[in-house]
Amino acid sequence: MGGRIAIVADRISWEERRLIETAPDFGLQAEWVNDESLCLGHPDPQSIGTYDAVLVRSRSYTRGGLLATLAEAAKIPTLNSAAAIHACENKLTLRAVLRNAGVPVPDFRLVLSRKDFEKALEELSLPVVLKPVFGGMGKRVTLIRHSDTAQSVYDYVEDLGHAFEQACLVEPYFGGGSIRCLVVGRELVGAAEFRSNGTDWRNNAALGNRNRAVAHDPDVVKIVESVVDELGSGIYGIDLFTTPSGYVVNEVNHAPGFRAVASATGADIPAAVCRHVQETLR
């Protein structure tokens, strides 16, 4: 079954180009649609109404869920679901949802004020990581190693203009690397370990740090399946930390970059995504 697919994103990167190039192999026609020009809200939206499905790849941590909500309301098949995207966009919501489902996540504290921050430092041993509730690609994620610099670091948070930006999580720093699991549908199609390149303590995949393929550890597969059980079938980048007590889910990306995982593992991720879209349309 063929179909026209709108790849909704703020720009075309390597991933979007590869999806557009691969789509015809699966009888699909994929086109980039700028997420800044949709003007959704009408029950029969002109900007996406002619498409058979919408693949939301907005990198913004607010746009994706809003656009998916209105695409679903217009009865257009939407990947991922609006509910899943909303959960992934908000690190606190995601942690709460997964923890309530029994999925292991790092210990954390919500910080909305300096009093919260000071209490979090009392309850969690240094070093800790301070990260925004809304955000991605490793931006504004700060490692705090020493108590005498902690208050100065928080000065920068207080100077941010909006409470939306000031909402943060404090969590333990685990060190080492992280494992990025690329999931399509319900299948783990590739997993790679990312480590700092030595110039930045962060090992986020978006920063282009060192990576290598890793085997599909049964414990990793079990956690991945548990995440998908909770969020629903979709396309996810699930990031795991290794701790003394096992793996924990750091975050889940609803519009994952997959170039690094594809390069490290040799997995044909664009084909897997197009196959999943094709199956969704059946």
Side-chain angles (χ1 to χ4, degrees), residues 30-46:
E31 302 172 357
W32 171 56
V33 178
N34 193 330
D35 66 6
E36 296 180 341
S37 61
L38 300 182
C39 195
L40 299 183
H42 191 281
D44 185 16
Q46 293 183 356

Side-chain angles (χ1 to χ4, degrees), residues 62-132:
T62 55
R63 292 179 187 172
L66 299 175
L67 296 173
T69 295
L70 292 175
E72 285 184 357
K75 309 301 182 185
I76 302 172
T78 305
L79 305 166
N80 294 328
S81 73
I85 294 175
H86 278 301
C88 293
E89 287 175 332
N90 183 318
K91 292 183 178 65
L92 176 65
T93 296
L94 180 72
R95 293 270 178 98
V97 166
L98 295 182
R99 186 168 65 182
N100 286 345
V103 180
V105 298
D107 193 9
F108 67 91
R109 300 294 183 272
L110 172 64
V111 171
L112 300 176
S113 67
R114 191 177 290 270
K115 288 184 178 179
D116 277 343
F117 181 62
E118 292 171 348
K119 185 66 173 175
L121 294 181
E122 291 176 7
E123 296 183 4
L124 301 175
S125 299
L126 292 172
V128 297
V129 173
L130 177 70
K131 61 173 57 173

Side-chain angles (χ1 to χ4, degrees), residues 171-239:
E171 65 184 30
Y173 172 59
F174 296 110
S178 64
I179 295 177
R180 163 60 65 93
C181 302
L182 209 296
V183 175
V184 180
R186 301 189 63 87
E187 178 187 0
L188 174 59
V189 298
E193 182 185 44
F194 290 83
R195 288 187 173 273
S196 167
N197 59 16
T199 60
D200 190 324
W201 68 271
R202 297 169 295 176
N203 49 58
N204 189 286
L207 301 176
N209 291 336
R210 293 181 294 142
N211 61 77
R212 67 179 182 88
V214 295
H216 291 190
D217 184 321
D219 290 337
V220 169
V221 173
K222 182 178 179 181
I223 289 179
V224 165
E225 290 175 347
S226 297
V227 172
V228 177
D229 283 344
E230 198 60 29
L231 297 181
S233 177
I235 302 158
Y236 304 110
I238 302 175
D239 292 338

Side-chain angles (χ1 to χ4, degrees), residues 114 117-118 121 126-128 143-156:
R114 191 177 290 270
F117 181 62
E118 292 171 348
L121 294 181
L126 292 172
V128 297
L143 173 60
I144 301 175
R145 296 183 185 274
H146 307 291
S147 58
D148 58 354
T149 60
Q151 298 297 332
S152 296
V153 169
Y154 196 74
D155 288 343
Y156 288 93

Side-chain angles (χ1 to χ4, degrees), residues 61 89-92 109-113 116 130-135 139-140 154 156-158 160-170:
Y61 47 78
E89 287 175 332
N90 183 318
K91 292 183 178 65
L92 176 65
R109 300 294 183 272
L110 172 64
V111 171
L112 300 176
S113 67
D116 277 343
L130 177 70
K131 61 173 57 173
V133 169
F134 303 96
K139 294 182 178 179
R140 286 179 49 209
Y154 196 74
Y156 288 93
V157 176
E158 283 190 325
L160 293 170
H162 304 285
F164 178 84
E165 297 173 318
Q166 293 174 347
C168 293
L169 300 181
V170 170

